[in-house]
Amino acid sequence: MQIIISGGGIGGLTAALALQARGHEVTVLEAVREPRPLGVGINLLPHAVAVLDGLGLLPALREMAVETSALVFANRHGQPIYRDPRGLAGGYSHPQFSIHRGELQMRLWAEASAKVTVLGGQRVVNVRDDGGRAVAEIETADGPRELAADLVVGADGIHSALRRRLAPDEGPPRWRGVMMWRGTTWAPPFLDGRTMVQAGHSRAKFVVYPIGAPRADGLQLINWVADRRIREPEPGLTAPDRADWSRPGRPEDLLPTFGRWRFDWLDVPGLITRAEQMLEWPMVDRDPLPRWRLGRSTLLGDAAHPMYPIGSNGATQAIMDAQALAEALGAHADLDTALAAYEDERRPMCARIVEMNRQEGLDAILDRVEALAPEGFADLADVIDPAEVAAEINAYKAAAGHRTAR
């Protein structure tokens, strides 16, 4: 098949590689003329790493990323609540990786460019069906153009033009009053140098993990995310204007909340004040769609299921979409049947994750501990049953697609 993918992000590029590996002729159209390694850190869960391994990328991931040993939940005093082993240490078939998002995208861009047609400066603004083909309507610096294919895949993010065809009256993304500040800081390694930590609670949470090996001076590039509720959720609450997304953040926006978060193993205000970059985003999502396909097009990744960044699901679920789409097209000769199979596999799970994350997902544990012991604890068992915590974490992981090799 001839397939156009709108969007050269992680999901779109993974889909291009997966589809090309199964013999399809793929063209990736990316709105940005010359993508650069922008952004900060992300986590790739083991089931996503398995997909990338199948595409021959595991050696590159080992070179670029940190193999995550565990996810630790802690209160705002830095006291551990639960340690969840990850990757090979957790019994999975593949590692979990903490990695710089932009560097991963650039590696996927290079891999895809060597195997398929990848074009920058090509913004897909609409798709129409014409004579059994899908026609992508494209804006470029040289004026509009059109390109026809058997299938167009919308991997164009939370502001997807292809999604608007399915939900023209959807409006802006949903916001519940939480802003996120994402930054990177060179700092001494913490804990074992391979651990991810979520500390605090839903009104003020600090997520931190390394995304590179220590350099010669012993410092390690640490990725961190500070969530702070600045507005109470209410019906119809609108996020800050899109033009303000990804704007530079300021330490003074965070230090009144996180300025005293100095743990035995981590200096939170130090990370904030010494950040080499800091960007600000609203925490937003969209309601699950009743369908992803329309004619000879379908959606993938954030275009299909934008979700709160809880549980490291964003890039991971886009990568799982890519694999599922390629497998469905390989299993069914009829395009409508293949797209239905892809959607039936992926849409219910992703809708479930969106809803779980709206209920704070795994962060609900942090909220309960904060409510029961706001000043900390001497023994966690006096506050909450550790077995209850483990059961809740494992239930979320199962619903989000975690599968150990045991």
Side-chain angles (χ1 to χ4, degrees):
M1 294 179 62
Q2 291 180 319
I3 300 174
I4 293 171
I5 297 175
S6 171
I10 291 169
L13 293 169
T14 302
L17 292 168
L19 291 164
Q20 185 275 335
R22 289 165 172 81
H24 300 289
E25 180 183 335
V26 182
T27 299
V28 178
L29 303 178
E30 165 56 39
V32 176
R33 180 177 293 274
E34 296 182 3
R36 293 180 294 144
L38 302 177
V40 285
I42 59 171
N43 265 265
L44 297 177
L45 297 176
H47 36 301
V49 174
V51 174
L52 297 177
D53 184 18
L55 297 172
L57 290 165
L58 185 58
L61 292 174
R62 290 191 185 280
E63 290 180 4
M64 298 166 59
V66 172
E67 187 171 332
T68 310
S69 62
L71 168 58
V72 171
F73 297 86
N75 63 10
R76 60 187 172 92
H77 307 288
Q79 296 176 299
I81 296 168
Y82 187 82
R83 183 180 187 275
D84 186 35
R86 291 299 177 101
L88 301 179
Y92 296 84
S93 64
H94 285 75
Q96 175 171 324
F97 286 117
S98 299
I99 189 169
H100 190 287
R101 180 202 175 280
E103 292 181 8
L104 174 61
Q105 182 186 8
M106 290 298 94
R107 183 55 187 257
L108 291 171
W109 185 276
E111 291 282 334
S113 296
K115 298 177 180 179
V116 307
T117 301
V118 180
L119 302 174
Q122 310 280 316
R123 182 183 300 278
V124 178
V125 296
N126 190 34
V127 176
R128 68 178 192 274
D129 289 337
D130 187 356
R133 300 271 279 172
V135 179
E137 300 174 4
I138 306 160
E139 289 182 353
T140 76
D142 298 321
R145 63 185 289 245
E146 295 185 346
L147 188 63
D150 298 304
L151 171 66
V152 176
V153 179
D156 47 346
I158 191 170
H159 302 291
S160 167
L162 270 69
R163 183 185 175 102
R164 283 198 296 273
R165 299 174 67 231
L166 291 160
D169 301 321
E170 185 173 43
R174 290 181 42 149
W175 186 50
R176 298 184 68 249
V178 174
M179 293 297 295
M180 302 183 298
W181 287 260
R182 297 172 178 260
T184 53
T185 306
W186 287 98
F190 64 90
L191 300 178
D192 65 353
R194 298 194 297 122
T195 295
M196 177 180 181
V197 177
Q198 294 182 198
H201 48 86
S202 63
R203 300 182 67 84
K205 183 180 67 174
F206 200 81
V207 180
V208 60
Y209 50 89
I211 55 174
R215 62 188 184 187
D217 62 3
L219 300 182
Q220 191 173 23
L221 188 60
I222 306 297
N223 181 86
W224 54 266
V225 185
D227 297 349
R228 182 168 68 86
R229 183 172 297 284
I230 64 171
R231 293 278 302 276
E232 290 302 317
E234 60 187 54
L237 184 61
T238 302
D241 186 84
R242 181 181 173 186
D244 291 331
W245 293 26
S246 303
R247 68 181 180 183
R250 306 177 304 166
E252 51 265 38
D253 294 329
L254 295 175
L255 292 178
T257 300
F258 299 99
R260 297 184 179 180
W261 289 33
R262 290 186 172 88
F263 311 148
D264 293 341
W265 48 272
L266 188 71
D267 178 6
V268 171
L271 288 179
I272 294 171
T273 57
R274 297 195 308 273
E276 64 169 16
Q277 68 167 333
M278 186 193 313
L279 302 172
E280 180 181 342
W281 278 277
M283 182 185 286
V284 294
D285 70 0
R286 291 189 185 276
D287 290 336
L289 291 173
R291 61 174 180 164
W292 293 354
R293 65 192 189 279
L294 179 61
R296 303 184 74 85
S297 69
T298 191
L299 302 178
L300 181 150
D302 279 351
H305 47 72
M307 55 186 65
Y308 294 152
I310 294 174
S312 303
N313 276 297
T316 288
Q317 296 305 329
I319 290 169
M320 301 309 296
D321 289 347
Q323 180 190 48
L325 177 60
E327 290 181 345
L329 291 174
H332 304 280
D334 177 71
L335 179 60
D336 288 339
T337 303
L339 295 182
Y342 159 63
E343 186 173 323
D344 288 346
E345 177 181 347
R346 295 297 302 155
R347 189 171 58 82
M349 170 179 282
C350 292
R352 194 159 58 245
I353 297 172
V354 169
E355 294 299 338
M356 289 191 303
N357 286 1
R358 285 181 175 178
Q359 302 301 318
E360 310 300 345
L362 294 176
D363 294 351
I365 296 165
L366 302 179
D367 282 354
R368 289 209 300 278
V369 172
E370 171 69 16
L372 294 168
E375 301 306 319
F377 50 80
D379 187 340
L380 178 65
D382 294 335
V383 177
I384 192 170
D385 183 356
E388 175 187 339
V389 174
E392 187 164 336
I393 289 173
N394 289 329
Y396 178 95
K397 287 163 55 179
H402 289 242
R403 299 291 185 270
T404 62
R406 291 170 180 159

